[in-house]
Amino acid sequence: MRLVFLAALAKTLHEVTIGLDLAEQLTDADVVSHFVVNPYNEDQLRTARTPYTLVEPDLGEDVREVVRRVVKEFRADAVVLVDYLAHWMTFKVGYRTDPWFVEDLGLPVIPLDLYDLENTSRRVEILGTTMEVDDNLLRMPVQLLPVPMNRPQPTASGRGLPYRAGRTVEPPTGAVRRETRRALGLPDGARLLMVPTLPWQQLMQVHAAPPTRELATRLPCLLAHHLARLPRDTHFLMTGPLFDGFAEGLPEERVHHRPEYTAHEYHTLLGSSDAVFSFHLPSYALERAVLTDVPGLLGVNSHAVNGPEDVERLGAAFPGGPTGRVRDWLADYPGPMPDFHMWPLRWNEVLRPLLQANPFTDTLRRAELLDEHGLVDGLGRILYDDTERDRMAAARAGYRDTMDALPETAQTFTEAVRRFGLDG
């Protein structure tokens, strides 16, 4: 079987990494793949020695002809959308064309669904505007659900089939871990906290609508204040852009910045850390932390603050109430402070339901970003508290066992293409 993977999203490795992982898992089943990607991911495809075609938003509607040509010349049997939601967003917003031109190619279209959109809202906030993702997914005969962070069981309708993503990801050896930490310049005995950021988040500081732009610009300053309260032997590994608030608010000698990396280097850096802190979903770092056996903490803001009365309500939500630093930060915040799961785009209606009754959440701690005491305490526990680290390690091991119990990915994919009348 010959597959064309569409993964044109820019400024992130996440989706292409997931697509490549699936393609590599299917090679033993005589599946050959070709990718259509943004130049940001060219090195990843070149390293994987997987054929690819590059596309950029400047193409506009001409991207349709590029995809048609790839499908024809590659003699594809099916098209795989590497993240249904990202495909819709990339072509609708980035290329300003109808994403569903792919349905006119005369081939089965198999989507990867990172959010279980069948069982959650399809309403997302993009650049300050709320949009509803097209419901084509609900009419497709099948969706593939990468695990983590999807629930590791088929959806109630039977259309959503889970499969294990990242089978080749595992903890680095002790020698690799020591060498990686040495190369970072980490002192002996130091604890390393990985804090992943993404290039598109930095773009939001300039190109987004005012509400999103303010959140993108201001939050790092508050988080830097929180992180600076951790013990002095805590070092910070910043993978991605180093936001101004982090650069100014954290001790320079304890910040290790890696703005660029390959997917393999990213996994090594993650596995060589003592913990990971992410304040946005979906978080590739938190997902892969399960596989590299690193404890993680997810920071969210569940409390919209529209005025002084909302600040006072935080006193009932957080033990001890908001600290003086948080109060000052909120007082200086222009306009309403939104609640969010994906910083700085929000995406609450999609992500809140995805986290409910989801065993993935058992593998990490969660904290509120406006709860300074709770956040600092949670980070301290996953870095320094051996009892808590052992508890979380057991939870990750149990989740990996659940993942290992899933059918072989090739078997799941064969079932998916069978529903289109194809032989796997």
Side-chain angles (χ1 to χ4, degrees):
M1 175 167 284
R2 303 174 71 82
L3 303 176
V4 168
F5 284 74
L6 297 187
L9 194 66
K11 302 297 183 181
T12 175
L13 298 176
H14 188 172
E15 285 76 13
V16 173
T17 303
I18 288 177
L20 270 174
D21 168 73
L22 176 58
E24 290 168 359
Q25 289 195 60
L26 297 176
T27 54
D28 290 342
D30 295 326
V31 172
V32 182
S33 302
H34 187 105
F35 276 67
V36 177
V37 300
N38 183 272
Y40 185 84
N41 278 285
E42 183 172 11
D43 285 345
Q44 192 173 174
L45 272 296
R46 187 186 297 119
T47 299
R49 298 182 178 179
T50 299
Y52 61 90
T53 297
L54 299 178
V55 293
E56 295 189 74
D58 288 347
L59 284 169
E61 289 196 354
D62 289 343
V63 72
R64 299 179 181 213
E65 187 55 39
V66 174
V67 173
R68 289 191 187 98
R69 175 176 53 78
V70 169
V71 165
K72 180 179 179 180
E73 293 179 356
F74 186 64
R75 305 190 310 280
D77 298 300
V79 173
V80 177
L81 308 183
V82 184
D83 186 354
Y84 173 95
L85 193 156
H87 170 84
W88 169 84
M89 180 175 64
T90 297
F91 286 94
K92 186 177 183 68
V93 178
Y95 289 82
R96 299 186 181 279
T97 192
D98 180 7
W100 307 115
F101 72 93
V102 295
E103 296 182 332
D104 299 328
L105 296 171
L107 298 175
V109 177
I110 304 171
L112 306 190
D113 180 5
L114 277 58
Y115 306 91
D116 190 10
L117 294 171
E118 179 184 335
N119 294 305
T120 186
S121 168
R122 300 187 320 280
R123 290 173 59 83
V124 296
E125 302 90 354
I126 299 176
L127 306 184
T129 301
T130 298
M131 307 175 73
E132 185 155 346
V133 181
D134 296 342
D135 65 358
N136 295 43
L137 182 106
L138 303 180
R139 298 192 295 272
M140 294 177 172
V142 68
Q143 302 98 44
L144 295 177
L145 309 177
V147 179
M149 108 178 142
N150 275 296
R151 300 174 187 88
Q153 64 265 347
T155 59
S157 71
R159 289 198 302 265
L161 303 180
Y163 75 94
R164 174 172 176 173
R167 280 197 177 274
T168 60
V169 178
E170 57 187 16
T173 65
V176 168
R177 190 174 190 275
R178 288 189 295 272
E179 177 55 33
T180 301
R181 292 167 73 92
R182 189 179 302 116
L184 289 171
L186 206 65
D188 291 341
R191 295 297 171 103
L192 184 62
L193 178 67
M194 180 176 176
V195 184
T197 58
L198 297 168
W200 67 261
Q201 293 169 331
Q202 191 171 50
L203 289 175
M204 295 298 98
Q205 297 179 347
V206 178
H207 296 295
T212 303
R213 188 167 64 240
E214 292 293 347
L215 184 59
T217 301
R218 292 175 179 269
L219 184 68
C221 298
L222 180 66
L223 297 187
H225 166 79
H226 295 345
L227 294 174
R229 288 191 51 202
L230 291 168
R232 292 184 178 181
D233 60 350
T234 304
H235 286 237
F236 306 98
L237 172 59
M238 302 296 182
T239 52
L242 183 60
F243 299 115
D244 290 342
F246 290 146
E248 298 167 358
L250 293 172
E252 182 180 0
E253 69 278 6
R254 290 196 277 136
V255 173
H256 309 270
H257 185 208
R258 289 297 178 271
E260 297 180 353
Y261 37 76
T262 67
H264 175 74
E265 290 168 342
Y266 187 87
H267 292 149
T268 301
L269 289 167
L270 174 59
S272 301
S273 301
D274 295 293
V276 59
F277 166 48
S278 180
F279 44 96
H280 52 85
L281 287 174
S283 173
Y284 186 78
L286 289 177
E287 293 173 21
R288 294 308 178 262
V290 175
L291 306 178
T292 56
D293 207 24
V294 174
L297 185 145
L298 169 64
V300 301
N301 177 39
S302 302
H303 304 275
V305 179
N306 298 314
E309 66 281 359
D310 291 327
V311 177
E312 296 310 314
R313 291 192 188 99
L314 296 178
F318 308 149
T323 63
R325 178 67 181 89
V326 170
R327 287 178 178 273
D328 290 344
W329 186 81
L330 288 170
D332 192 49
Y333 197 92
M337 165 68 179
D339 53 337
F340 60 88
H341 282 70
M342 177 190 278
W343 174 78
L345 299 182
R346 301 184 68 187
W347 286 36
N348 295 316
E349 292 187 55
V350 169
L351 293 167
R352 277 197 186 109
L354 178 61
L355 296 179
Q356 293 171 0
N358 188 335
F360 170 69
T361 61
D362 296 334
T363 69
L364 49 83
R365 287 185 68 113
R366 201 183 321 188
E368 292 289 334
L369 296 174
L370 297 181
D371 180 9
E372 180 177 337
H373 295 313
L375 178 61
V376 174
D377 178 70
L379 290 171
R381 288 182 181 276
I382 67 173
L383 282 165
Y384 293 95
D385 186 329
D386 289 340
T387 299
E388 178 65 1
R389 287 172 62 84
D390 288 345
R391 183 194 69 78
M392 296 183 71
R396 291 192 300 275
Y399 190 80
R400 289 194 299 270
D401 288 343
T402 300
M403 293 175 65
D404 288 340
L406 290 170
E408 288 297 319
T409 297
Q411 178 182 337
T412 299
F413 189 80
T414 297
E415 168 60 20
V417 299
R418 184 192 64 77
R419 298 186 186 187
F420 290 96
L422 297 177
D423 294 328

